[in-house]
Amino acid sequence: MAPPTSVANAAPASASLPAPRRSSKLLIGVVLAVGLLAAAGAAAYVFLPRFTGAASTEAAKPPVPEKPIFVMLDPLTVNLQAEGRSRFLQIGMALRVRDEHAKAQIVEFMPELRSRLLVQLSNRAPESLVTPEDKARLAEEIRTALNAPLTPQTPELGISSVSFNIFVVQ
């Protein structure tokens, strides 16, 4: 009886032999799929930052400011509206303009612009030029006055700011 049991035991053992072959093929397929996915992930990690990272870093970079264009004005000395004694304002400034065309217009019309400045500054009281706020207000008023069109056909000059480099009240 022992031999038939061994034959009966041998049949299920031979039936289980093809199962490991199928599972080994499945295992090899899973390992290959995981390997391919890992390779694709590594390639994406290496190559995608070059394409998307460059665009995102360029977008994240602040814009490079343009080189400023300044027009230096010769210093002016102006009589101020003082009661009792003579008071003077000596002032030197630089005008920041938007482009070279505006700079050329300012240089071309400099006598008229200096005249505008003299008229505007001579109407000041010395007490109105003391604090930093007074000077900032004066700079804005000068910018507005000088920006006014020089002729009816021309647009405003494009002066963006006025900076003082000499400011003496005597």
Side-chain angles (χ1 to χ4, degrees), residues 89-102:
L89 169 65
Q90 184 180 18
I91 189 168
M93 63 189 81
L95 308 175
R96 186 175 183 162
V97 296
R98 68 173 172 243
D99 56 21
E100 290 294 330
H101 177 68

Side-chain angles (χ1 to χ4, degrees), residues 49-50 64 76 78 113 118-119 133 148 166:
R50 291 184 184 167
V64 178
L76 297 168
V78 180
L113 296 175
L118 288 170
V119 169
E133 292 82 18
I166 299 173

Side-chain angles (χ1 to χ4, degrees), residues 113-142:
L113 296 175
R114 287 181 63 89
S115 176
R116 286 183 187 181
L117 278 172
L118 288 170
V119 169
Q120 184 167 8
L121 294 173
S122 64
N123 292 325
R124 297 278 171 188
E127 299 80 31
S128 70
L129 303 171
V130 177
T131 65
E133 292 82 18
D134 294 337
K135 293 173 185 171
R137 190 177 317 109
L138 178 64
E140 182 58 28
E141 290 173 10
I142 290 172

Side-chain angles (χ1 to χ4, degrees), residues 7 13 15 21 23 25 29 39 41 43-44 76 81 89 101 104-106 113 127 133 140 145-146 164 167 169:
V7 172
R21 285 186 186 164
S23 64
K25 287 181 182 179
L76 297 168
Q81 297 292 327
L89 169 65
H101 177 68
Q105 269 192 313
I106 289 172
L113 296 175
E127 299 80 31
E133 292 82 18
E140 182 58 28
L146 295 182
F164 298 123
F167 200 96
V169 179

Side-chain angles (χ1 to χ4, degrees), residues 1 6 12 14 49 63 69 72 109 131 169:
M1 287 238 170
S6 64
S14 64
I69 302 171
M72 300 295 292
F109 287 92
T131 65
V169 179

